[in-house]
Amino acid sequence: MGRSKSIPLLMVLGLTGMFVGQLLFLLGIYLTNANLAAMFQPAVPVWSAFLAMISGVESPPKLTKSHGLAKILGILLAVIGAVTMTLGKLRSNSSEESWLVSGSSVGSHFLGCICLLGQTSSTAVYYIIQKKYIFNQPHSIWKTQPMAVTAWSYFFGAMFMALASLTYANQPEKFTSFSKEAFYCLVYAIVITSSMCYLLLSWCNMQVPSTVVTASWPLQALFCAILSFIFLGNSLQLLECFGGGFIVCGLAAVLWSNYKEEKN
């Protein structure tokens, strides 16, 4: 695949992974709340496993084999663990007003859930397309260049974001009215949680199956709880401990399954 012929593919990656996914995530939080948005994130590995199988990127796991069953159960266990940890944190922060619908009407809440569902599926689509049409293609010029793939995806994603920002062309205050603290958070989000993370995930996607890459997604909930305990002094709830154990066991099962598949 030549460089010019790969431009549409890179545009699709920028659209799905960088623009649509992040836009729907922000809309989802805006229409619902951060708690519900966190609960949707473990759906990414589920979408990835489903899309990988129906698109032919990965063969369906053989449930008659121990490693095939381990992959399915591992993904489900990691997802259950992440949801359990989220519920544990929500339970500790519960208030009289329901955390599910706080600050939003039923209609906007439902629309926010649709946005979050679209965000998780869009993220999964990004990694599946990347795997199938770039890293699995023997003649692709991008096959061994995860940094270039990420950079070009970001370039086209930024173009889509710039077009979307034209909505506020007549409201310049939208681009200037933020505090110094917000600026630091924005820089961290751009450099660390966005650029660096996408680069590392692209490199991992080049090395291992997409289902293994996204199976690590629920680890976010685990590390968030641990770091909150260490640096913020937040206590760990019993559900969070159980959930963390589920995540570790689930990820271990997926890794073992991948090892057995490669060995066979």
Side-chain angles (χ1 to χ4, degrees):
M1 181 185 294
R3 292 184 182 274
S4 59
K5 293 182 179 180
S6 61
I7 289 178
L9 176 60
L10 295 171
M11 290 181 67
V12 171
L13 290 176
L15 180 67
T16 56
M18 312 304 173
F19 177 65
V20 172
Q22 296 188 42
L23 175 63
L24 291 179
F25 179 71
L26 293 174
L27 285 174
I29 291 182
Y30 176 75
L31 293 172
T32 58
N33 52 58
N35 294 329
L36 194 60
M39 287 195 66
F40 267 86
Q41 299 316 300
V44 173
V46 178
W47 279 114
S48 297
F50 174 72
L51 294 173
M53 286 185 284
I54 66 173
S55 63
V57 173
E58 298 178 26
S59 57
K62 298 179 180 179
L63 299 182
T64 56
K65 301 289 186 179
S66 58
H67 58 81
L69 189 61
K71 175 176 283 190
I72 296 297
L73 292 179
I75 292 174
L76 292 177
L77 197 60
V79 170
I80 292 172
V83 173
T84 302
M85 290 195 69
T86 305
L87 289 174
K89 180 60 68 178
L90 294 175
R91 186 178 179 182
S92 65
N93 296 332
S94 61
S95 60
E96 293 183 1
E97 185 179 15
S98 173
W99 57 268
L100 276 173
V101 295
S102 59
S104 63
S105 65
V106 175
S108 62
H109 178 81
F110 177 76
L111 182 59
C113 290
I114 297 298
C115 289
L116 291 171
L117 194 63
Q119 174 257 321
T120 54
S121 60
S122 179
T123 302
V125 166
Y126 170 79
Y127 291 108
I128 297 301
I129 291 177
Q130 191 184 76
K131 187 69 172 181
K132 181 172 184 176
Y133 295 105
I134 293 181
F135 298 133
N136 278 1
Q137 296 297 320
H139 303 296
S140 173
I141 61 173
W142 308 100
K143 181 178 174 64
T144 58
Q145 302 182 52
M147 181 178 291
V149 171
T150 305
W152 278 105
S153 299
Y154 257 98
F155 172 76
F156 288 113
M159 290 181 61
F160 290 121
M161 293 176 190
L163 291 174
S165 68
L166 294 177
T167 307
Y168 297 101
N170 296 324
Q171 303 178 51
E173 68 277 2
K174 296 289 186 180
F175 300 94
T176 57
S177 57
F178 53 86
S179 63
K180 182 183 294 186
E181 290 78 10
F183 175 77
Y184 293 145
C185 293
L186 186 62
V187 171
Y188 179 84
I190 293 172
V191 177
I192 304 298
T193 63
S194 190
S195 301
M196 184 177 293
C197 285
Y198 270 100
L199 172 59
L200 292 174
L201 287 169
S202 294
W203 183 85
C204 292
N205 204 25
M206 179 181 69
Q207 304 291 336
V208 299
S210 298
T211 51
V212 176
V213 175
T214 54
S216 65
W217 217 265
L219 284 173
Q220 296 178 74
L222 176 61
F223 283 117
C224 181
I226 294 174
L227 292 175
S228 296
F229 174 75
I230 295 174
F231 295 105
L232 301 179
N234 294 339
S235 60
L236 290 174
Q237 304 297 314
L238 184 61
L239 279 177
E240 291 181 281
C241 296
F242 276 116
F246 289 157
I247 292 173
V248 172
C249 292
L251 185 57
V254 172
L255 293 175
W256 177 80
S257 173
N258 184 62
Y259 167 76
K260 294 293 289 185
E261 287 178 354
E262 290 182 349
K263 189 176 180 180
N264 294 335

